[in-house]
């Protein structure tokens, strides 16, 4: 991700900027002018010339929409000035009201989220709350030194302000606890607080910017810049923020690391403002410039596709398999995008595009221009905008739009909402212990309409994606960072909420993006637990045999995973993670657990047993034991609980001594020796099959080619394997051999039967001969 900058020169020092729409900006400067910048037409006009004694300091537009409803009130903004006043100014530039507010300059003013209150901070060290119409309600705080910056908390029930080197979070409720902490080694100049991720930003004279959680715990501290940090601002969606300093503009990820650094000739950047759709940024500059920047070069990856936003209205699609490149053009600016389950969904400022192939997107109009989140399930996708949430089919049909009292679509984020084919889960903002569950098709509450209630506040939720809907499970992380699993369809009885993990990543990273993620094709869960990448192969085992849970986990310990990463995706066998420094890390998971899920779902217990025998991984046996028990499949369960005994039984029943010996060698992990034993005994097919069962594809093909037998068998199994994981053949040797060879499963099966009966016959001959020999 990068910013692209345009600079516009005009007049004297610009002190503040604010967007009216995503395409129109107001700026105020020391030459007393308020300018209107129209981006599409590149035109600038003077809105009004203010009185000569009015020097503007800060401006903030009255909120446009509240809880999805457009405000009835005419558009206006608050403008503060050096003479201790604030002014309510109409869009046309008329000063509707001027209020004496502070002694000395009014340094900051902010409307709360529903526009029912205004807060101002002054050089006089006072913080005051005003009604919508500018009547003084109360003086919230009174200090001995100037307060430079203020921000509202997400629920408008607390405020954040600067106090020298400290930051203060003060609830409006007089009896509630104030949090105050030393934040910087110099005076703090700017703060911001994001309503979606609940994170706080601060920047100061010590030339640093920092990210905090709302309890005042430090999440990130930048290194020292050359100049004080004079401005900073969260993008409204909470994904990125911008930092301004002398001749410097920086774009950062919410976790603090820097995507891009620009060195425009601007002087100090005094104020930064994002458009409501989080795509455009404007800065007020000391040398009279207004700078505009927009975010480009975002990437999306899925299987073999990499998509890049190259310009505001252009995306490039690269297929890494064959390096084919497609270019997608949009009529309007791209705001949000998502790529999963073979579909690309792009929301522009006016329309939604759905691509299945790159030539013919399906396009439909959007009501609201500010999509803040797109979530995808295999069957449909969810769009979230300031007004509500909507489920669409990939054919562009509106399926449903769940509604509930207290819905604040403007502050929902990916951790608080989850989508599967059949269910939508939403963390309730008004009671964070509660998870609201809706049926995707109808948008009505699920089942008996009872929502899920956990004993503690929930911070993150994720629905599993596979299996029948009446088996749908949800994973949740609570305030203690413990991980739980429960069922979402629980008609008539209280669901069991069972703990399956603990302390998912250090508690300092509560808000730092997704930390658990379900696989797209099997109910396998992946998360970061105690700085290890952990994969729960079969989390539901907690409901049948919790003793076995620990045995079904895969943990990967690596310094790659310890540096505060979050998980971006878990598609097929590939986990993609973002490290604390912003770099991407990939980790592969073996395909066996997913196969086992598939076998269990289709009651192919013989195949499941075979897989476990060959994969020789204790965790698979544990999964199978749980799956068999859950399906009341006692024969398989018995075998899975006693894998060793079973394996010996299986070995005893093999047709020949050589096969038995080979499998005994495999049992103790001596794969090469096992293969050699079979080859020596002339059991070529069996040697090839052992390699197929272990997914040693290259070796299987090598043997088949060398002995000129069963090349088609290897190709057939390989094809099945690739299909299962949605991959294409990339191996040159396999491509080469598959050209001339026809794959016919019936023929192959028959050939295998012949091989096995030959082995039996041969073994019988041997035993006949031995018995003859002994008789003689
Ligand atoms: C989800 O929907 C897709 C498309 O209709 C379907 O192919 C898939 O099997 C469904 N998955 C589940 C778990 O129901
Ligand atoms: C078994 O013995 C019979 C007769 O001795 C022979 O014809 C046959 O080829 C042998 N089979 C194998 C697989 O060696």
């Amino acid at each position: 991700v990068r910013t692209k900058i345009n600079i516009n020169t005009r007049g004297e020092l610009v002190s503040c900027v604010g967007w009216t729409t995503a395409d129109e900006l107001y700026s105020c400067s020391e030459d007393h002018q308020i300018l209107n910048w129209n981006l599409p037409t590149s035109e600038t006009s003077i809105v009004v010339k203010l009185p000569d004694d009015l020097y503007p300091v800060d401006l903030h537009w009255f909120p446009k929409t509240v809880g999805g409803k457009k405000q009835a009130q005419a558009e206006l903004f608050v403008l503060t000035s050096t003479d201790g006043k604030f002014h309510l100014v109409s869009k046309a530039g008329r000063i509707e009201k001027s209020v004496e507010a502070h002694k000395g300059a009014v340094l900051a003013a902010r409307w709360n989220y529903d526009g029912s209150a205004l807060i101002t901070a002054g050089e006089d060290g006072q913080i005051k709350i005003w009604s919508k119409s500018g009547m003084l309600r109360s003086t919230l705080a009174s200090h001995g030194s100037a307060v430079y910056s203020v921000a509202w908390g997400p629920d408008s029930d607390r405020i954040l302000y600067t106090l020298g080197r400290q930051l203060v979070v003060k609830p409006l409720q007089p009896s509630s606890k104030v949090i105050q902490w030393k934040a910087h080694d110099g005076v703090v100049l700017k703060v911001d607080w994001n309503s979606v991720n609940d994170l706080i930003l601060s920047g100061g004279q010590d030339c640093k910017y920092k990210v905090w959680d709302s309890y005042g715990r430090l999440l990130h501290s930048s290194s020292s810049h050359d100049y004080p940090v004079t401005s900073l601002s969260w993008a409204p969606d909470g994904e990125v923020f911008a930092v301004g300093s002398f001749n410097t503009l920086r774009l950062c990820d919410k976790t603090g690391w820097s995507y891009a650094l620009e060195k425009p000739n601007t002087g100090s950047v005094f104020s930064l403002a994002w458009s409501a759709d989080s795509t455009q940024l404007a800065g007020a500059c000391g040398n009279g410039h207004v700078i505009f920047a927009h975010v480009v070069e975002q990437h999306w990856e899925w299987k073999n596709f990499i998509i890049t936003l190259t310009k505001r209205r252009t995306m490039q699609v690269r297929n890494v398999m064959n390096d084919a490149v497609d270019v997608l053009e949009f009529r309007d600016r791209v705001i949000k995008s998502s790529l999963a389950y073979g579909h690309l969904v792009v929301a522009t400022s006016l329309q939604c595009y759905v691509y299945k192939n790159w030539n013919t997107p399906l396009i439909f109009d959007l009501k609201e221009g500010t999509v803040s989140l797109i979530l995808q399930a295999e069957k449909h996708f969810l769009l979230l905008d300031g007004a509500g949430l909507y489920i669409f089919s990939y054919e562009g049909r509106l399926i449903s739009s769940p509604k509930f009292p207290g819905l604040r679509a403007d502050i929902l984020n990916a951790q608080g909402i989850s989508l599967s084919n059949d269910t939508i889960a939403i963390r309730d903002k008004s009671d964070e212990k509660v998870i609201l569950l809706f049926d995707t098709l109808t948008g009505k509450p699920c089942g008996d309409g009872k929502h899920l209630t956990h004993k503690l506040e929930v911070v993150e939720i994720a629905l599993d994606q596979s299996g029948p809907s009446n088996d749908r499970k949800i994973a949740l992380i609570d305030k203690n960072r413990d991980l739980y699993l429960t069922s979402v369809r629980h008609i008539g009885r209280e669901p069991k909420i069972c703990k399956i993990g603990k302390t998912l990543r250090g508690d300092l990273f509560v808000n730092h993006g997704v930390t658990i993620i379900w696989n797209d094709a099997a109910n396998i869960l992946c998360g970061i637990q105690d700085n290890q990448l952990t994969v729960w192969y079969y989390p539901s085992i907690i409901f049948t045999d919790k003793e076995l849970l620990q045995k079904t986990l895969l943990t990967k310990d690596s310094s790659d995973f310890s540096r505060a990463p979050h998980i971006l995706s878990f598609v097929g066998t590939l986990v993609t993670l973002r490290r604390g420094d912003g770099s991407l890390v990939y980790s592969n998971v073996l395909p066996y657990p997913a196969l086992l899920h598939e076998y269990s779902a289709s009651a192919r217990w013989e195949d499941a047993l075979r897989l476990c025998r060959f994969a020789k991984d204790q965790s698979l046996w544990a999964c199978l034991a749980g799956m068999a028990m859950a399906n009341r499949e006692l024969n398989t369960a018995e075998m899975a609980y006693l894998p060793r005994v079973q394996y010996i039984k299986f070995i005893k029943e093999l047709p020949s001594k050589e096969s038995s010996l080979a499998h005994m060698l495999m049992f103790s992990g001596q794969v090469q020796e096992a293969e050699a034993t079979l080859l020596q005994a002339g059991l070529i097919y069996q040697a090839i099959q052992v390699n197929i069962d272990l997914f040693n594809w290259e070796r299987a093909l090598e043997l088949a080619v060398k002995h000129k037998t069963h090349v088609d068998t290897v190709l057939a199994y390989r094809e099945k394997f690739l299909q299962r994981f949605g991959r294409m053949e990339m191996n040159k040797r396999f491509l080469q051999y598959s050209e001339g060879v026809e794959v016919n499963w019936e023929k192959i099966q028959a050939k295998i039967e012949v091989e096995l009966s030959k082995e039996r016959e041969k073994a019988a001959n041997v035993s006949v001969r031995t018995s003859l020999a002994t008789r003689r």
Side-chain angles (χ1 to χ4, degrees):
V1 179
R2 216 163 59 77
T3 50
K4 244 182 119 183
I5 289 192
N6 290 312
I7 295 184
N8 295 278
T9 311
R10 201 78 189 223
E12 286 178 56
L13 182 148
V14 184
S15 47
C16 48
V17 287
W19 295 86
T20 57
T21 67
D23 288 325
E24 187 186 56
L25 183 95
Y26 275 34
S27 71
C28 301
S29 45
E30 300 224 315
D31 57 7
H32 316 288
Q33 286 184 351
I34 298 181
L35 298 182
N36 173 330
W37 306 77
N38 184 315
L39 265 54
T41 63
S42 305
E43 276 169 16
T44 311
S45 55
I46 298 174
V47 178
V48 71
K49 177 101 173 34
L50 298 164
D52 278 350
D53 57 350
L54 198 162
Y55 288 90
V57 180
D58 192 20
L59 85 79
H60 193 219
W61 281 94
F62 189 81
K64 266 206 145 137
T65 53
V66 172
K69 285 181 211 83
K70 284 232 167 13
Q71 290 284 26
Q73 186 154 352
E75 289 177 80
L76 62 78
F77 60 92
V78 58
L79 180 71
T80 74
S81 50
T82 51
D83 57 2
K85 290 184 185 153
F86 71 79
H87 317 269
L88 300 181
V89 187
S90 75
K91 191 166 187 229
R94 210 162 61 125
I95 297 181
E96 307 280 352
K97 188 168 190 174
S98 293
V99 179
E100 294 271 358
H102 293 266
K103 292 199 188 69
V106 183
L107 297 175
R110 285 287 173 274
W111 296 103
N112 70 355
Y113 285 96
D114 64 8
S116 60
L118 172 74
I119 191 144
T120 58
E123 227 172 346
D124 58 1
Q126 300 210 323
I127 294 174
K128 294 180 177 178
I129 300 207
W130 310 82
S131 75
K132 197 165 163 174
S133 57
M135 305 291 286
L136 181 65
R137 287 231 188 99
S138 65
T139 299
L140 195 69
S142 198
H143 296 286
S145 60
V147 174
Y148 288 98
S149 183
V150 288
W152 288 93
D155 297 320
S156 298
D157 60 349
R158 287 168 293 167
I159 60 151
L160 161 73
Y161 60 90
T162 69
L163 186 60
R165 301 173 172 208
Q166 316 224 19
L167 289 180
V168 183
V169 171
K170 186 166 179 144
L172 298 190
Q173 282 279 341
S175 56
S176 304
K177 207 174 134 236
V178 176
I179 312 174
Q180 182 167 348
W181 69 97
K182 182 183 173 230
H184 288 262
D185 291 327
V187 171
V188 185
L189 298 174
K190 270 283 176 357
V191 289
D192 198 9
W193 193 345
N194 186 266
S195 63
V196 174
N197 62 26
D198 198 23
L199 296 178
I200 286 172
L201 285 178
S202 64
Q205 271 179 343
D206 62 356
C207 309
K208 290 182 180 174
Y209 64 86
K210 300 186 181 187
V211 185
W212 313 85
D213 73 8
S214 57
Y215 303 100
R217 293 181 292 198
L218 181 66
L219 303 182
H220 178 89
S221 172
S222 74
S223 53
S224 224
H225 288 60
D226 295 336
Y227 299 95
V229 171
T230 43
S231 56
L232 36 79
S233 177
W234 276 112
D237 67 6
E239 290 298 320
V240 294
F241 63 86
V243 177
S245 175
F246 183 80
N247 283 354
T248 303
L249 180 67
R250 198 181 268 285
L251 179 72
C252 301
D253 183 76
K254 59 173 174 261
T255 51
W257 54 273
S258 174
Y259 278 114
L261 173 67
E262 306 278 353
K263 289 282 187 185
N265 177 22
T266 53
S268 289
V269 180
F270 286 117
S271 144
L272 285 166
W274 286 89
S275 59
D277 61 14
S278 300
T279 61
Q280 318 217 61
L281 176 72
C285 309
N287 67 353
H289 290 340
V290 170
I291 54 170
F292 292 95
H294 58 264
V295 177
V296 288
E297 283 182 19
Q298 275 170 289
H299 294 284
W300 294 266
E301 291 185 18
W302 184 76
K303 295 203 171 161
N304 47 311
F305 293 104
I306 298 180
I307 295 185
T308 309
L309 182 69
T310 48
K311 291 189 216 148
R312 271 186 278 197
R313 290 182 200 125
T314 312
M315 279 181 166
Q316 189 203 63
V317 182
R318 201 159 69 85
N319 182 343
V320 293
M321 206 100 94
N322 55 11
D323 261 328
V325 171
D326 286 273
V327 174
L328 313 180
E329 302 275 358
F330 303 94
R331 201 185 67 191
D332 310 294
R333 200 172 55 250
V334 172
I335 290 178
K336 276 275 178 282
S337 185
S338 174
L339 174 66
Y341 296 108
H343 290 93
L344 170 71
V345 182
V346 179
T348 69
S349 47
L350 293 171
Q351 292 175 312
C352 181
Y353 292 65
V354 183
Y355 290 86
K356 197 174 165 69
N357 56 54
W358 309 121
N359 306 322
T360 45
L362 187 132
I363 306 172
F364 60 91
D365 290 343
L366 292 171
K367 263 193 267 164
E368 186 88 10
T370 50
V371 170
S372 58
L373 183 71
I374 303 174
L375 288 181
Q376 288 182 258
E378 194 173 355
K379 204 172 191 161
H380 31 236
F381 63 95
L382 180 153
L383 292 185
L384 186 70
D385 66 21
L389 49 105
Y390 314 91
I391 312 293
F392 286 95
S393 72
Y394 286 109
E395 288 75 46
R397 196 160 47 84
L398 179 67
I399 307 264
S400 67
S401 175
K403 292 192 176 58
F404 54 93
L407 168 66
R408 285 260 322 259
D410 54 330
I411 59 173
L412 276 175
N413 62 13
Q415 284 147 282
I417 177 161
S418 182
L419 177 72
S420 74
N421 267 7
D422 39 69
T423 312
I424 308 157
I426 302 171
R427 191 165 56 118
D428 190 351
K429 253 324 248 188
S430 58
D431 179 356
E432 293 188 339
K433 293 182 185 128
V434 174
I435 298 167
L436 310 171
L437 298 165
F438 301 92
D439 188 285
T440 309
L441 276 185
T442 62
K444 299 269 182 303
C446 273
D448 57 7
K450 254 167 78 182
H451 294 304
L452 207 59
T453 306
H454 186 52
K455 59 183 190 233
L456 272 182
E457 282 81 0
V458 174
V459 296
E460 189 176 331
I461 55 176
L463 287 164
D464 67 10
Q465 299 293 316
S466 310
S469 60
N470 54 12
D471 228 13
R472 188 71 46 240
K473 305 279 193 305
I474 187 166
L476 59 94
I477 299 177
D478 69 13
K479 222 170 87 180
N480 284 349
R481 307 305 294 163
D482 289 331
L483 173 64
Y484 290 81
L485 188 73
T486 188
S487 176
V488 302
R489 308 272 164 152
H490 47 87
I491 297 164
R493 65 194 150 81
E494 278 301 311
K496 273 204 283 189
I497 303 183
C498 297
K499 186 157 151 178
I500 58 168
K502 58 178 172 26
T503 333
L504 281 149
R505 199 166 53 197
D507 56 353
L508 286 186
F509 297 94
V510 176
N511 295 296
H512 274 184
V514 175
T515 53
I516 46 169
I517 205 155
W518 288 96
N519 185 249
D520 63 332
N523 287 337
I524 300 174
L525 183 68
C526 175
I528 303 288
Q529 181 174 237
D530 292 334
N531 286 330
Q532 290 177 321
L533 176 66
T534 305
V535 182
W536 285 260
Y537 282 155
Y538 180 46
S540 293
I541 201 166
I542 195 76
F543 302 113
T544 44
D545 187 347
K546 61 174 187 291
E547 305 294 319
L548 280 183
L549 178 75
Q550 288 305 319
K551 293 205 176 121
T552 61
L553 304 190
L554 166 78
T555 52
K556 290 195 173 189
D557 203 355
S558 153
S559 57
D560 275 351
F561 308 133
S562 63
R563 278 182 280 152
H566 58 261
I567 304 174
L568 299 179
S569 68
F570 183 12
V571 174
T573 56
L574 189 68
V575 183
T576 308
L577 303 109
R578 171 98 65 197
R579 269 205 311 234
D581 63 0
S583 57
L584 293 178
V585 205
Y586 299 92
S587 182
N588 260 298
V589 174
L590 284 174
Y592 310 130
L595 265 180
L596 202 58
H597 274 277
E598 186 178 300
Y599 290 153
S600 152
S602 49
R604 286 160 63 190
W605 301 109
E606 277 306 317
D607 288 333
L609 281 165
R610 213 166 70 115
L611 176 68
C612 289
R613 277 184 201 120
F614 284 107
K616 290 193 53 59
D617 178 341
Q618 287 309 313
S619 57
L620 286 186
W621 282 113
C623 292
L624 181 59
M627 289 171 182
M629 282 308 272
N631 285 285
R632 313 265 182 281
E633 172 60 33
L634 293 185
N635 288 334
T636 309
E638 194 179 22
M639 297 190 211
Y641 274 101
L642 284 175
R644 284 164 191 281
V645 175
Q646 261 319 304
Y647 199 66
I648 291 164
K649 231 168 124 188
F650 162 78
I651 291 172
K652 275 167 66 186
E653 285 163 9
L654 284 170
S656 72
K657 245 168 127 174
E658 289 83 2
S659 279
S660 295
L661 177 58
H663 280 276
M664 274 187 263
L665 288 165
M666 298 250 301
F667 185 68
S668 48
Q670 293 162 277
V671 177
Q672 279 175 8
E673 290 80 351
E675 186 202 276
T677 306
L678 292 167
L679 289 177
Q680 231 164 26
L683 297 171
I684 309 295
Y685 158 71
Q686 283 79 349
I688 292 171
Q689 187 65 45
V690 162
N691 280 297
I692 291 175
D693 287 331
L694 291 169
F695 302 154
N696 285 342
W697 297 111
E698 301 239 7
R699 180 63 183 157
L701 185 62
E702 191 183 322
L703 286 174
V705 170
K706 188 171 156 201
H707 294 278
K708 299 197 177 56
T709 179
H710 284 286
V711 174
D712 56 343
T713 309
V714 179
L715 293 175
Y717 276 103
R718 168 81 176 176
E719 197 179 288
K720 209 169 165 190
F721 170 83
L722 291 177
Q723 262 171 13
R724 169 61 186 74
F725 293 104
R727 291 202 220 148
M728 267 167 62
E729 186 59 82
M730 305 268 275
N731 185 304
K732 286 218 179 68
R733 277 181 67 79
F734 275 91
L735 284 171
Q736 179 194 336
Y737 280 100
S738 57
E739 259 173 27
V741 179
E742 179 213 11
V743 167
N744 179 334
W745 271 106
E746 269 172 32
K747 265 198 209 153
I748 290 170
Q749 295 292 357
K751 249 168 56 178
I752 292 174
E753 269 315 308
V754 171
E755 296 284 2
L756 294 177
S757 55
K758 258 205 276 183
E759 187 184 350
R760 269 183 232 112
E761 200 184 320
K762 201 164 145 195
N765 273 7
V766 172
S767 62
V768 169
R769 258 183 272 140
T770 353
S771 62
L772 283 177
T774 38
R775 246 190 259 165
R776 228 175 257 151

